[in-house]
Amino acid sequence: MTRQHQPSPPRLAAWLLGRVVSGDIRYAALGDFEELYADLAEARGVAAARRWYWRQTLRSLFPFLLDSIHWSLVMLTNYFKIALRNFKRHKSYAAINVAGLAVGLACCLLIALYVRDELSVDQYHENAGRIVRVTYDFQTPNVTRALAMVGPTVGPDLKVEFPEVVEAVRFVEGSFLFQRQDDPSVQYQEYEGLYADASALRVFSFGLYRGDPQTALEAPFSVVLTESTARRYFGDEDPIGQTLMRDGQAYTVTGLLDDVPAASHFTFDLLVSLSTLDIHSPDFMADWWALVVNTYLLLDRPEAAAVLDAKLPGYLERQLGEVIHEDGHSYALATEPLSGVYLHTRHHSSLARRGNAATLYLFAGIALFILLIACINFTNLATARATERAKEVGVRKVVGAQRGQLATQFFGESLLMAFSAMGLALLMAGLVLPAFNTFAGKALSLGVFLNPVFLLILLGIVAVVGVMAGGYPAVVLSRFRPIAVLRGSLRATRHGHVLRKSLVVFQFSLSIALMVGTAVVFSQLDYMRNANLGFDDEHMLTVNFHADAAVQQQAEAVKQAFLQRTDVAAVSVSGDIPGTGNLHAGVRVEDSEGVMQSMPWRYVSADFDFINTYGIEIVAGRAFSRDFPTDSTEAMIVNEAAFKSLGYVSAEQALGAAFQHFGTPGEIVGVARDFHLKSLQEDVEPIYIRLDPRRYRYVSLRLKTDDLAETMAGLEALWGRLAPHRPFEYSFLDESLDRQYRAEEQFGQVVGLFALLAIFVACLGLFGLASLTTRQRTKEIGLRKVLGAPVSSIVLLLTKQFARLVVVAFVVAAPLIYLAMDRWLDNFAFRTEIAWWIFPTAGLAALVIAWLTVSFQAIRAATANPVAALQVE
Amino acid sequence: MKLLSRSEEVVLLSIWRLQDAAYGVAIREQVSRATGQDWSIGAVYAPLHRLEKKGFVQTRKGEPVSKRGGRSKVYYHLTPIGKQALLAVKHVHETLWSGIPALDSDFGF
């Protein structure tokens, strides 16, 4: 065709028109524009024509726009209808796809909530960016410690000496038995009470809603209650100014706090002014070595932490003197930001709850993997169905569908599924959440998803999942050449086969790995629970009387009273029991070379009967004995780890070694077989035991009874007579030791849950895939049956290939998970070996599950009437 | 069958009137003249698009025209159901108009 040179219409307007006119009318409408423009240009000149063109464009814009929106909506509803029709026709396929994705998404939702919650810990403090915690690392030839606790003097020292420190806040755990002055029957033992500096209320945002943040904790014998604690004592009365009694001393309520948010690394029910301890325990408050004080600093600016850290070694040297330069000793005082205290610290504090960043990332990783598997299944199934849908594609193409339209159609279906899956996932997550909360120890709620930002992210994720999952089929299916398809010459490509197989392998690898992981976690737990702790933890009942002075004074009488009972075999009163035990670095002991060394051992204060009651074995020397009156001041028993850290070769050598403790001298009289005070995650620590009635805190009873209920009732009644003002607060030692492994147990449960989900999702995928393969081989199966093949051989034929994939998955997963779990076990000082049988068991389980999944389809196909199969088409 | 909208009816009638000469420019002229209003091109094509999708009109391309940027004129024809649709509207109109007092003698006695 020829084209004369003509004046062209305004470019911008023409471009604008080109954007808004779409569909069938585009060709005709744009032609009309040009024709009228050309006519006008000829008749009335180019300028007039251009003006007309602009005016006409603007006037047409709106109708054209409406038109194109109208038709795309019509298209969308059309796609939607077809998608729904497709789902209806292939119900099981759609159900599998949606359910699989939903499980993956629900998993991710829960983990996202969990991760978000873990990351938000301590973030609510206004000064969060400027608060640091003081840490203390020290190492002697045999002991290494990383503490987040220092002596009581450190905080005030730092505030005085360094201008970067605006405020210092100290928290000391305390034991409080409070009763109302005007009504002594209102009495509670407070487990979560802290002594705190007055600065605590200025530095931390604890939500003081009554009282003066400057002075509430200033005066001795002041107490600030959280809302629920106040309610416990005072109900609806106004607690401010009320008096609570403790050991005959009056404490005044000076402030009220909101309950401490769950997202805190430590919590409390009440705060007592730390100045109280200045009066109660002036010795303690002046003791640099009482490493039990959680100390936080408010800095003048966030960057000041580095400046301060550089100055701290100088301070330490001034405090410790020459000790610091002894061979093999190293001491370091430093700070760590509040933001890292929960998840990233390696420093221990008895007050602080600790999260585990590695576990958190691991969970997030596994959740993403499960989602990935679900997406893979989706893609996998859709591509596998490509052959089936190829005809539909061919017909549509012949009828005139554009490739883009077909791709849109497939994307639409995939998105529709993704969004239904999302809906289902939210429902699932909502249903599971209460259970999840109980075992994760959280108070998560789906409410966050109402937050517009979160909602947007959620929709974004779903869209991405939909597009990702629908992407491959959309591109591949829409590319089919209609002739090839309709002639039936289309075969699933080899490439597709390999892809599909490797996806199955990947899924089962993950499933097997998680199964093995679960088994290893639980076998380690089992190992720790049944390990020989160096003492007998069965039938041990401990009663905590919180170092009540009245009980301490009549300790002997209490013991005798318990011993009168036939169901009590042995009694000991002590300051520490397994699971507790404070660190006190203030002991100096003579080493193998005759030099007095200061040793950071764990201190267990006990009575004469402690060793016997707990069944601790003495390997050299003797136990404490009433036959040696000097024992009560001059004797010490150490464990094997302790004498070794002094450089002695044998336990006998250590006997008679001199020590200095709390200013009194003495010598080692016995060496005990190593026993565990703490969880088996940690090595056996050097421990020293001394007689120390001032620290008595627990009564330990070894029971021998067949009727536990009666014994408990009797013991409680007896306690009521011995210490009427004290609640009978008991626990069984094996149970309380077991609680140390709660984190591991939770870890095992979560991994186990993940394993179940991974297997479920993998099976859904396998089920869908198997049904498609079986359908594709309908004719083959029919022929084989006609030719006389038995059902069993056909089932075998169909399941064989999947079984082979599971075997490959096992080969891939086994070494990897072995290495991973071996590393995990290395976190434990006392670890079990990974039992070899775990692997074949997990592999076999996966195989059986896969086989059951596939054989359901296979048996149906194999038992079907071959006539029906051969009649297809 | 749903009744035609007013704009669809006007466009469809114009196509019928124009017979073999019914293409965009002519239709727009016809519509504008008949209604006494200047219809924008967009305003004509929106109902045209719907009519085509509903199967009331069919298109046929003529020879390429240089004035149209080398595009052909696109001629619109009524299909049998398009005619039916027109007749249906006509019937409605006649029913509505029959037997009512004359509008133009409304102010009489």
Side-chain angles (χ1 to χ4, degrees):
Chain A
M1 76 195 90
T2 55
R3 235 193 111 171
Q4 293 166 257
H5 180 74
Q6 287 176 346
S8 53
R11 280 246 291 282
L12 182 63
W15 173 84
L16 208 60
L17 267 183
R19 304 248 59 169
V20 294
V21 188
S22 61
D24 304 328
I25 55 168
R26 185 179 164 88
Y27 182 88
L30 292 182
D32 283 6
F33 266 93
E34 293 232 358
E35 179 182 337
L36 286 167
Y37 174 79
D39 284 346
L40 255 168
E42 232 173 312
R44 285 199 265 151
V46 175
R50 286 175 75 94
R51 271 201 305 281
W52 171 86
Y53 194 97
W54 260 116
R55 210 167 49 241
Q56 193 55 235
T57 301
L58 292 177
R59 282 182 59 202
S60 297
L61 220 50
F62 190 63
F64 276 137
L65 256 177
L66 272 187
D67 179 69
S68 95
I69 290 170
H70 170 79
W71 289 111
S72 28
L73 280 178
V74 169
M75 277 293 249
L76 265 179
T77 32
N78 188 30
Y79 287 147
F80 189 74
K81 256 188 229 159
I82 294 178
L84 273 186
R85 240 178 261 160
N86 246 315
F87 293 171
K88 258 186 213 153
R89 199 167 332 137
H90 305 278
K91 276 194 202 84
S92 64
Y93 163 78
I96 286 172
N97 251 350
V98 170
L101 259 187
V103 168
L105 282 169
C107 211
C108 274
L109 283 181
L110 289 180
I111 291 298
L113 283 179
Y114 182 81
V115 170
R116 183 177 175 277
D117 194 68
E118 288 282 285
L119 291 179
S120 73
V121 168
D122 294 328
Q123 292 309 304
Y124 64 90
H125 295 294
E126 266 171 53
N127 296 325
R130 290 194 293 142
I131 300 174
V132 296
R133 184 168 73 168
V134 181
T135 64
Y136 182 47
D137 285 89
F138 62 90
Q139 191 174 9
T140 63
N142 291 286
V143 183
T144 308
R145 290 232 180 279
L147 291 179
M149 297 181 289
V150 291
T153 56
V154 174
D157 284 354
L158 297 184
K159 188 183 170 188
V160 172
E161 290 195 32
F162 303 110
E164 291 85 4
V165 180
V166 181
E167 297 267 24
V169 189
R170 292 169 294 171
F171 293 100
V172 178
E173 287 169 274
S175 176
F176 304 93
L177 180 69
F178 276 124
Q179 55 186 199
R180 276 182 70 155
Q181 188 183 36
D182 50 358
D183 182 2
S185 71
V186 182
Q187 167 184 300
Y188 297 98
Q189 169 62 45
E190 297 297 342
Y191 299 100
E192 309 269 0
L194 295 178
Y195 293 101
D197 271 318
S199 51
L201 300 174
R202 300 191 288 267
V203 172
F204 292 96
S205 310
F206 283 132
L208 185 82
Y209 63 91
R210 292 286 303 278
D212 182 351
Q214 301 300 324
T215 60
L217 287 173
E218 199 73 62
F221 312 114
S222 305
V223 55
V224 172
L225 305 175
T226 62
E227 193 177 357
S228 42
T229 311
R231 178 144 302 136
R232 244 191 297 136
Y233 287 97
F234 301 108
D236 292 330
E237 295 171 50
D238 183 6
I240 295 289
Q242 297 261 24
T243 302
L244 289 175
M245 298 303 292
R246 175 193 180 211
D247 289 341
Q249 170 70 49
Y251 288 71
T252 311
V253 179
T254 53
L256 292 175
L257 293 171
D258 293 330
D259 287 349
V260 180
S264 309
H265 78 276
F266 69 94
T267 187
F268 53 83
D269 290 335
L270 56 86
L271 296 175
V272 172
S273 52
L274 191 70
S275 49
T276 309
L277 283 180
D278 286 328
I279 295 171
H280 263 180
S281 320
D283 295 349
F284 165 77
M285 291 302 280
D287 186 356
W288 202 94
W289 289 106
L291 303 177
V292 295
V293 182
N294 297 269
T295 306
Y296 300 82
L297 306 175
L298 178 67
L299 304 178
D300 56 354
R301 59 188 194 284
E303 314 82 63
V307 183
L308 184 63
D309 278 350
K311 293 178 182 174
L312 287 176
Y315 165 76
L316 199 59
E317 183 145 2
R318 289 197 288 284
Q319 291 296 321
L320 296 186
E322 71 278 12
V323 188
I324 225 169
H325 299 298
E326 277 174 39
D327 269 356
H329 289 236
S330 82
Y331 300 84
L333 204 60
T335 64
E336 61 185 2
L338 186 68
S339 59
V341 159
Y342 179 64
L343 275 182
H344 300 287
T345 191
R346 55 190 180 82
H347 295 100
H348 170 78
S349 153
S350 51
L351 178 64
R353 212 159 53 90
R354 256 160 85 174
N356 187 328
T359 313
L360 197 63
Y361 298 145
L362 183 72
F363 287 168
I366 295 178
L368 282 179
F369 258 121
I370 291 179
L371 180 61
L372 189 65
I373 285 188
C375 289
I376 287 172
N377 275 339
F378 195 105
T379 315
N380 210 358
L381 282 175
T383 30
R385 273 193 65 210
T387 21
E388 295 205 346
R389 285 193 82 171
K391 275 214 174 116
E392 178 193 335
V393 174
V395 171
R396 278 162 172 269
K397 278 207 166 176
V398 168
V399 173
Q402 300 289 310
R403 193 177 154 198
Q405 290 175 331
L406 282 173
T408 315
Q409 166 79 47
F410 286 120
F411 272 126
E413 275 179 31
S414 155
L415 279 176
L416 185 66
M417 282 213 194
F419 277 100
S420 346
M422 187 78 239
L424 196 58
L426 278 170
L427 198 71
M428 283 182 188
L431 287 176
V432 174
L433 200 60
F436 184 79
N437 274 337
T438 341
F439 93 177
K442 295 263 173 205
L444 307 174
S445 96
L446 283 180
V448 222
F449 292 113
L450 295 178
N451 173 332
V453 179
F454 219 78
L455 205 63
L456 222 60
I457 294 176
L458 202 65
L459 290 180
I461 290 174
V462 175
V464 168
V465 168
V467 168
M468 247 168 47
Y472 184 69
V475 171
V476 171
L477 286 176
S478 63
R479 205 165 50 196
F480 287 157
R481 288 187 26 248
I483 294 181
V485 170
L486 292 177
R487 212 191 276 145
S489 62
L490 188 99
R491 285 264 158 273
T493 54
R494 184 150 180 77
H495 165 71
H497 264 316
V498 173
L499 186 68
R500 241 169 285 151
K501 280 182 180 167
S502 36
L503 296 176
V504 171
V505 169
F506 175 72
Q507 297 179 5
F508 273 87
S509 300
L510 187 69
S511 304
I512 292 171
L514 287 170
M515 277 196 273
V516 171
T518 312
V520 172
V521 171
F522 279 106
S523 70
Q524 170 68 14
L525 268 172
D526 197 50
Y527 170 82
M528 291 192 293
R529 282 176 180 149
N530 295 322
N532 180 8
L533 297 169
F535 60 87
D536 191 356
D537 65 341
E538 305 268 311
H539 316 296
M540 284 301 292
L541 182 82
T542 59
V543 181
N544 186 352
F545 58 87
H546 297 273
D548 189 302
V551 181
Q552 279 181 350
Q553 276 151 25
Q554 48 161 338
E556 263 324 298
V558 168
K559 279 166 72 173
Q560 289 312 318
F562 275 122
L563 273 174
Q564 295 294 312
R565 295 184 59 93
T566 51
D567 48 9
V568 174
V571 185
S572 162
V573 182
S574 62
D576 303 281
I577 53 172
T580 71
N582 278 320
L583 190 74
H584 200 283
V587 68
R588 293 175 70 79
V589 193
E590 180 186 4
D591 70 6
S592 57
E593 276 148 27
V595 182
M596 294 300 276
Q597 295 271 13
S598 113
M599 303 307 292
W601 293 345
R602 203 165 277 280
Y603 179 31
V604 172
S605 51
D607 65 355
F608 284 108
D609 303 309
F610 185 81
I611 302 277
N612 180 34
T613 305
Y614 275 95
I616 295 167
E617 191 190 341
I618 297 290
V619 294
R622 56 178 179 82
F624 297 121
S625 163
R626 291 186 174 84
D627 301 338
F628 296 84
T630 50
D631 270 8
S632 51
T633 50
E634 295 170 12
M636 172 188 280
I637 291 175
V638 298
N639 67 352
E640 293 169 301
F643 89 72
K644 283 175 192 152
S645 72
L646 287 170
Y648 295 109
V649 188
S650 73
E652 281 74 19
Q653 279 186 4
L655 295 176
F659 72 84
Q660 278 273 339
H661 190 221
F662 292 135
T664 48
E667 65 181 45
I668 294 177
V669 300
V671 175
R673 170 97 49 226
D674 275 343
F675 60 95
H676 293 269
L677 266 186
K678 295 283 176 173
S679 106
L680 270 74
Q681 191 154 6
E682 290 157 41
D683 234 322
V684 172
E685 297 172 291
I687 294 165
Y688 66 105
I689 310 171
R690 292 199 62 211
L691 298 176
D692 193 346
R694 291 172 309 149
R695 292 169 61 95
Y696 284 169
R697 178 174 284 264
Y698 302 94
V699 182
S700 307
L701 305 165
R702 177 167 299 283
L703 305 178
K704 46 166 191 199
T705 174
D706 296 324
D707 188 350
L708 191 61
E710 197 198 279
T711 299
M712 291 312 296
L715 291 176
E716 183 160 10
L718 178 56
W719 184 261
R721 286 197 299 281
L722 293 170
H725 63 293
R726 266 284 149 194
F728 185 59
E729 188 190 322
Y730 68 92
S731 58
F732 287 95
L733 189 63
D734 47 356
E735 283 171 17
S736 50
L737 289 178
D738 212 39
R739 251 171 262 139
Q740 300 182 97
Y741 303 121
R742 213 176 122 63
E744 279 74 27
E745 181 153 5
Q746 276 178 2
F747 180 74
Q749 284 170 340
V750 174
V751 174
L753 180 73
F754 276 143
L756 280 180
L757 287 175
I759 293 168
F760 175 70
V761 174
C763 283
L764 280 184
L766 197 61
F767 183 82
L769 212 53
S771 73
L772 289 169
T773 339
T774 314
R775 209 174 310 152
Q776 279 167 12
R777 295 174 77 170
T778 311
K779 252 185 202 167
E780 180 195 334
I781 294 165
L783 274 177
R784 278 173 190 270
K785 281 195 83 170
V786 168
L787 294 176
V791 170
S792 61
S793 89
I794 290 171
V795 172
L796 192 69
L797 172 83
L798 290 169
T799 51
K800 204 169 54 187
Q801 48 168 343
F802 290 110
R804 207 179 296 143
L805 294 182
V806 175
V807 171
V808 174
F810 176 74
V811 172
V812 172
L816 290 177
I817 190 63
Y818 177 82
L819 290 177
M821 291 321 286
D822 200 52
R823 277 197 60 186
W824 183 76
L825 284 175
D826 277 341
N827 287 331
F828 296 87
F830 295 85
R831 47 163 286 187
T832 176
E833 286 309 312
I834 301 177
W836 65 270
W837 54 263
I838 291 177
F839 290 90
T841 309
L844 212 63
L847 200 62
V848 168
I849 292 167
W851 192 81
L852 285 176
T853 310
V854 176
S855 62
F856 177 75
Q857 297 285 339
I859 291 171
R860 202 166 62 177
T863 51
N865 188 347
V867 176
L870 294 175
Q871 256 174 358
V872 169
E873 285 170 52
Chain B
M1 194 195 289
K2 260 180 77 178
L3 281 180
L4 292 168
S5 78
R6 177 46 51 87
S7 60
E8 285 166 353
E9 180 190 352
V10 171
V11 170
L12 206 55
L13 260 175
S14 304
I15 293 171
W16 181 243
R17 183 180 287 269
L18 287 164
Q19 289 292 326
D20 284 344
Y23 81 106
V25 172
I27 297 170
R28 178 168 162 263
E29 258 172 43
Q30 175 67 35
V31 168
S32 299
R33 196 171 336 120
T35 57
Q37 283 162 359
D38 182 20
W39 287 45
S40 76
I41 296 173
V44 175
Y45 273 100
L48 210 45
H49 198 181
R50 282 198 298 274
L51 289 171
E52 190 184 350
K53 284 276 186 189
K54 286 181 188 167
F56 291 168
V57 294
Q58 265 179 353
T59 59
R60 172 180 62 84
K61 276 185 188 170
E63 286 299 306
V65 183
S66 62
K67 271 200 297 191
R68 297 174 67 90
R71 295 184 184 84
S72 304
K73 286 183 180 173
V74 178
Y75 291 99
Y76 289 84
H77 299 275
L78 259 67
T79 60
I81 59 165
K83 285 177 196 161
Q84 268 177 36
L86 264 187
L87 286 173
V89 184
K90 183 165 178 258
H91 178 72
V92 171
H93 282 302
E94 281 166 353
T95 316
L96 283 172
W97 282 98
S98 68
I100 56 168
L103 275 174
D104 32 14
S105 60
D106 205 22
F107 50 87
F109 305 92

